[in-house]
Amino acid sequence: MAGFMLVCGVAACTTMTVFQVKTPYGRYTRPGWGPLVPARLAWILQEAPTPVIAIALLAQRNVSKLDPPSVAHILLVVHYIHRAFIYPLGIRNGKPTPVVVMALAFTFCSYNGFLQGTMLKELEGRVAWSLLTIAGLGVMLFGAYHNVLADYTLRSLRRTSSSAQRYVAPPNVGLFTWVSGANFLGEIVEWSGYAMLCGGALPAVAFAAFTALNIGPRAVHHHADYCKKIDGYDALGRTAIIPFLL
Ligand code: NDP
């Protein structure tokens, strides 16, 4: 319960802050936020604590019986191995990240890795396959697929030197057909499915809520940025993060 309250408190503060102040990394990196770290290195350092902690805790559990918490634990590890060690290697001309932003992300990934890993261990043998957990697995895989598809679609936009530093309209691939923040929507759906797969355990719900409250505003900012800078973007009929609504 304490972990749930802490993550929810951090999520509430984060949302209020990131709606007002565009988180200064990627396209919003700007002077005044202190020393900068190259994008690839920042992603590796800030995300690495979660897979390291989650793998250490996974090694202590019996995964021969694939109950929902074991599957959720394996998928958490797979997501973060990709995010920390594979995704950064393919970043093309990414903008640098301020040390302060990297340190905040590192702190969150350390705490959340520990929180999710210990919760998943405690849930061992306590959450069975049911309509909720089976649907959660489907939702999580759907979200993960669209998150990765959208991230790699964005990456492919920087393939030519003429587009090396520019932001162009993402093509109608996957969830980009409906929203500007397809990678963010995929991530939110993924962790919502994870919370269901964990039987609605509070730390998992808190993580899903934190994700939505952290990157939802970023999608809203990206959408406004596209509408402002790309002629005819409005005509694509996309919303920011929730199809047809927001
Ligand atoms: P962005 O969409 O801001 O950027 C993703 C990458 O694509 C960057 O390298 C960016 O370059 C490039 N890019 C973005 N838009 C365009 C465009 N229109 N044309 C060309 N290149 C583009 O995502 P984030 O960096 O914020 O996040 C990356 C991933 O991490 C996402 O999957 C997100 O869901 C996840 N994430 C999860 C969080 C959580 O709380 N669980 C928190 C933050 C991120 P550049 O760096 O130059 O802008």
Side-chain angles (χ1 to χ4, degrees):
M1 183 55 105
F4 174 73
M5 297 303 287
L6 184 63
V7 174
C8 285
V10 172
C13 296
T14 303
T15 309
M16 284 186 279
T17 309
V18 296
F19 251 125
Q20 302 295 325
V21 184
K22 292 174 186 166
T23 314
Y25 73 93
R27 74 175 72 189
Y28 308 122
T29 295
R30 52 197 182 271
W33 288 87
L36 300 171
V37 182
R40 282 185 185 161
L41 184 62
W43 274 103
I44 293 170
L45 293 179
Q46 73 193 29
E47 304 291 319
T50 302
V52 169
I53 295 168
I55 287 171
L57 291 166
L58 182 64
Q60 294 171 25
R61 75 183 301 151
N62 175 10
V63 285
S64 59
K65 187 167 166 262
L66 283 180
D67 60 355
S70 300
V71 174
H73 204 147
I74 293 166
L75 292 177
L76 178 83
V77 166
V78 169
H79 173 97
Y80 272 100
I81 286 179
H82 172 261
R83 176 68 74 229
F85 305 118
I86 300 170
Y87 170 78
L89 300 182
I91 292 176
R92 292 170 201 261
N93 300 301
K95 312 280 184 314
T97 304
V99 169
V100 64
V101 173
M102 189 188 81
L104 285 171
F106 176 88
T107 306
F108 175 78
C109 287
S110 304
Y111 179 71
N112 192 50
F114 181 74
L115 183 67
Q116 301 306 319
T118 46
M119 172 203 72
L120 288 163
K121 249 182 106 348
E122 279 169 21
L123 289 181
E124 203 168 338
R126 292 170 56 187
V127 179
W129 288 110
S130 65
L131 260 183
L132 177 72
T133 51
I134 292 169
L137 177 60
V139 171
M140 187 177 184
L141 292 175
F142 175 86
Y145 170 75
H146 281 284
N147 172 251
V148 172
L149 176 67
D151 274 338
Y152 284 82
T153 300
L154 288 175
R155 177 161 301 175
S156 71
L157 300 176
R158 293 252 170 98
R159 210 167 270 156
T160 61
S161 58
S162 65
S163 61
Q165 287 288 326
R166 290 172 47 226
Y167 295 98
V168 295
N172 278 343
V173 169
L175 299 177
F176 280 121
T177 309
W178 297 282
V179 296
S180 300
N183 50 346
F184 303 124
L185 177 58
E187 181 109 17
I188 292 166
V189 170
E190 178 178 1
W191 296 119
S192 302
Y194 167 82
M196 292 162 67
L197 181 57
C198 293
L202 289 183
V205 173
F207 179 30
F210 175 87
T211 301
L213 295 173
N214 182 24
I215 58 182
R218 190 165 170 82
V220 171
H221 292 143
H222 279 23
H223 182 69
D225 203 48
Y226 286 130
C227 291
K228 193 170 133 198
K229 295 182 181 158
I230 300 178
D231 284 342
Y233 191 82
D234 289 330
L236 293 174
R238 294 176 188 168
T239 49
I241 184 76
I242 304 174
F244 312 112
L245 288 178
L246 173 67

